[in-house]
């Protein structure tokens, strides 16, 4: 997937979901968008504004704040991945950051956590 800065992003999906997404394409093969817009002027592709509206509507449907956004989901992904032990260099690559320093902003101190807990007693 290509995104901001023409960087390539790799998104891992379960095999079955990947197959379903590929089968949802029309006759255009790899050139056919998977997530299509209703507007022909967009070349059939969703634009960033449409994605924002879809994310906000989905968030409200499941009881989340309408302030949700694709960027908010990206931030949640980063925070949860780090909290579950993902190596910061891997997350940095996944997010497409040029520097691990950029990714480090997702590191949060937890109220019940301290570096002292990792010292021998």
């Amino acid at each position: 997937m290509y995104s901001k800065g023409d960087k390539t992003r790799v998104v891992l999906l379960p095999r079955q979901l990947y197959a379903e997404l590929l089968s949802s394409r029309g006759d255009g093969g790899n050139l056919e968008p998977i997530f299509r817009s209703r507007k022909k002027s967009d070349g059939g592709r969703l634009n960033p504004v449409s994605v924002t509206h879809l994310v906000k509507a989905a968030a409200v449907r499941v009881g989340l704040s309408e302030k949700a956004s694709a960027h908010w989901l990206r931030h949640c992904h980063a925070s949860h991945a780090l909290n579950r032990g993902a190596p910061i260099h891997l997350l940095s690559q996944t997010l497409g950051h040029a520097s691990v320093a950029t990714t480090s902003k997702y590191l949060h101190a937890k109220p019940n956590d301290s570096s002292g807990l990792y010292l021998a007693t």
Side-chain angles (χ1 to χ4, degrees):
M1 171 190 312
Y2 296 101
S3 60
K4 185 177 174 182
D6 286 332
K7 293 182 180 178
T8 301
R9 303 286 195 261
V10 175
V11 179
L12 299 179
L13 300 171
R15 187 178 305 271
Q16 184 177 346
L17 176 58
Y18 180 70
E20 286 178 38
L21 289 172
L22 287 181
S23 70
S24 73
R25 287 183 167 169
D27 296 332
N30 288 341
L31 300 177
E32 186 78 21
I34 292 175
F35 303 106
R36 294 188 273 280
S37 169
R38 291 184 222 163
K39 296 180 182 178
K40 299 293 182 200
S41 62
D42 291 338
R45 288 172 168 68
L46 286 175
N47 64 42
V49 173
S50 296
V51 171
T52 297
H53 290 301
L54 288 168
V55 169
K56 287 182 182 300
V60 168
R61 276 196 311 272
V62 298
L64 297 175
S65 169
E66 65 182 20
K67 293 180 181 180
S69 66
H71 184 76
W72 180 77
L73 292 173
R74 175 182 165 91
H75 180 81
C76 290
H77 165 84
S79 296
H80 288 297
L82 287 172
N83 284 343
R84 288 178 172 83
I88 194 166
H89 70 279
L90 178 62
L91 183 60
S92 183
Q93 271 186 331
T94 302
L95 296 175
H97 293 159
S99 166
V100 173
T102 304
T103 313
S104 69
K105 71 181 179 182
Y106 294 106
L107 295 170
H108 307 286
K110 298 176 204 126
N112 295 327
D113 204 4
S114 167
S115 60
L117 295 173
Y118 298 90
L119 300 176
T121 55

